[in-house]
Amino acid sequence: MEEADQLRVAAKSGDLKKVQTLINSGADVTHFDNEGLTPLMHAAKIGNAEIVTALLESGAPWNALTPSNLSAGDFAMEEGHQEAFDLLLKTGIQSELILGTIARNQTKNEYSNQEYLQDRVSFSEDKIMDSESKGVMMAWEKPLMEAHAKAICINGGRILNVGFGMGLVDTAIQQYGPSKHTIIEAHPEVYKRMIESGWGEKENVQIVFGRWQDVLDKLDDRFDGIFFDTYGEYYEDLREFHQNLPKLLKPDGVYSYFNGFCGSNAFFHVVYCNLVTLEIENLGFSTQLIPLPVKDCLGDDVWEGVKQKYWQLDTYYLPVCQFSD
Ligand SMILES: C[S@@+](CC[C@H](N)C(=O)[O-])C[C@H]1O[C@@H](n2cnc3c(N)ncnc32)[C@H](O)[C@@H]1O
């Protein structure tokens, strides 16, 4: 039997000694077997934390995926192996923190969604799509947007929403009668549609056309509630927005964001929920993640004609962030 196969068998059967011997003799810890599983996935499946540690320490990738898009963390989670799960989660968070630092040190020549903002979008009753048929915003999210609006409008007052899309969250925000409702939107066609549909005439609404990165400094006051939901941006962009929160949010204010990172893999999503919570905590905020079931929002026909299913999980975790005491 080849070494890689021997490693698979040892990891699967929980033979730590054999795993260590094989690692020391240079067996390939990244090898995928015939079923598309790595030794780390086998160890996570049986919940052997010592083997998980040994493999991770010798460079086994925590984020390798099976052909059906499952990672070692998904196996640990599915089987309820807490120790193995915690080890994988810690590794995932650490590695994403390091990758983020590297990304920030590289010079950025262009912004994340430059192409999207310069491209055409198409509007229909239940979605907005970009030129590659990816969903910019979809009507199935309406209950989530209503829940976000409820969370950030709890104190009334001045509300800021970043990213208009289909106006779902803004329609819900209006129902709480905020004293001032500021909306930042950067796409010219979305902006045009906002104006055409009368958003510019609402007494308490202020529309700020532009990228939040370029217009935040022009806002004149702090807010009681803030929601952030853009498109085509990455975690680094959300992180950058968060650096502005201490000066944007009033002391008792509530902040929330669309929590859609890695919406097609349950474990990666948990990694990102923890990562954001951790980084936002360092800025002085505490986060509560409120679970909302979304299975019923996603009927079979929802994704028809849409290129990417950006959400495939049964539960959505709605973040509610406030300054820590
Ligand atoms: C997912 S949609 C928002 C959906 C919205 N929450 C709703 O309830 O319908 C994202 C919106 O953010 C806008 N956007 C993307 N990048 C932006 C940026 N940097 N600044 C401001 N708006 C941006 C997009 O044009 C799009 O209208």
Side-chain angles (χ1 to χ4, degrees):
M1 215 192 309
E2 287 201 11
E3 271 194 335
D5 262 337
Q6 291 181 41
L7 185 58
R8 171 184 56 83
V9 173
K12 210 171 167 175
S13 58
D15 188 343
L16 175 63
K17 222 169 155 196
K18 183 84 183 163
V19 167
Q20 272 164 341
T21 309
L22 286 161
I23 289 174
N24 292 340
S25 71
D28 181 5
V29 293
T30 68
H31 183 77
F32 286 88
D33 63 21
N34 293 342
E35 291 166 35
L37 268 69
T38 61
L40 183 64
M41 292 172 186
H42 284 296
K45 241 180 168 183
I46 62 163
N48 190 315
E50 284 169 314
I51 296 182
V52 166
T53 305
L55 288 166
L56 286 172
E57 283 175 353
S58 43
W62 69 277
N63 55 353
L65 288 172
T66 66
S68 51
N69 277 331
L70 294 173
S71 69
D74 289 292
F75 288 120
M77 199 155 75
E78 271 174 17
E79 304 291 336
H81 297 312
Q82 193 64 44
E83 205 181 339
F85 173 82
D86 288 343
L87 285 165
L88 289 158
L89 179 60
K90 196 170 146 209
T91 306
I93 295 171
Q94 276 169 353
S95 99
E96 292 308 282
L97 281 170
I98 293 166
L99 283 178
T101 312
I102 295 169
R104 282 189 291 283
N105 286 338
Q106 290 169 348
T107 359
K108 264 188 172 181
N109 291 327
E110 55 179 43
Y111 50 85
S112 315
N113 61 3
Q114 193 162 20
E115 273 181 32
Y116 157 72
L117 291 178
Q118 289 168 356
D119 221 340
R120 301 300 306 261
V121 288
S122 59
F123 300 87
S124 63
E125 211 164 279
D126 62 348
K127 53 184 157 318
I128 303 179
M129 291 210 286
D130 71 8
S131 60
E132 292 172 28
S133 299
K134 290 186 193 151
V136 174
M137 182 60 187
M138 299 180 70
W140 70 264
E141 289 184 41
K142 189 168 178 243
L144 303 184
M145 292 299 134
E146 287 169 350
H148 278 292
K150 186 174 179 188
I152 62 163
C153 292
I154 189 129
N155 297 323
R158 292 170 54 95
I159 304 295
L160 169 67
N161 173 42
V162 182
F164 180 77
M166 295 173 72
L168 300 178
V169 82
D170 290 298
T171 303
I173 289 169
Q174 276 293 299
Q175 279 161 12
Y176 293 94
S179 58
K180 188 161 179 192
H181 176 180
T182 303
I183 307 170
I184 301 178
E185 172 55 49
H187 198 290
E189 290 181 354
V190 177
Y191 172 69
K192 187 168 167 259
R193 220 172 142 93
M194 285 175 84
I195 300 300
E196 282 167 2
S197 52
W199 278 89
E201 285 143 40
K202 292 187 198 292
E203 240 174 50
N204 59 351
V205 170
Q206 173 197 27
I207 302 174
V208 183
F209 174 62
R211 297 170 62 234
W212 62 264
Q213 294 87 339
D214 302 328
V215 300
L216 276 188
D217 286 347
K218 294 178 193 146
L219 305 179
D220 50 2
D221 208 350
R222 294 170 96 184
F223 295 90
D224 298 278
I226 301 178
F227 181 58
F228 182 91
D229 178 16
T230 62
Y231 175 74
E233 298 196 314
Y234 299 112
Y235 176 68
E236 286 306 310
D237 300 290
L238 178 73
R239 192 179 180 278
E240 193 186 323
F241 181 78
H242 288 169
Q243 310 299 312
N244 294 285
L245 274 183
K247 64 171 192 275
L248 283 176
L249 196 65
K250 286 188 187 170
D252 291 331
V254 178
Y255 166 66
S256 191
Y257 56 92
F258 178 64
N259 188 11
F261 286 106
C262 307
S264 47
N265 178 285
F267 181 67
F268 293 176
H269 185 61
V270 175
V271 169
Y272 267 83
C273 283
N274 278 270
L275 187 63
V276 188
T277 302
L278 192 75
E279 295 210 293
I280 226 170
E281 202 178 284
N282 291 336
L283 292 167
F285 295 89
S286 64
T287 303
Q288 227 191 316
L289 292 171
I290 300 171
L292 300 178
V294 285
K295 217 176 176 175
D296 293 345
C297 307
L298 291 162
D300 289 342
D301 51 353
V302 160
W303 300 107
E304 237 168 65
V306 183
K307 198 166 167 192
Q308 243 173 28
K309 289 186 183 176
Y310 60 82
W311 189 266
Q312 295 176 49
L313 311 177
D314 291 344
T315 307
Y316 176 79
Y317 291 92
L318 187 145
V320 178
C321 313
Q322 286 174 289
F323 280 107
S324 314
D325 297 329

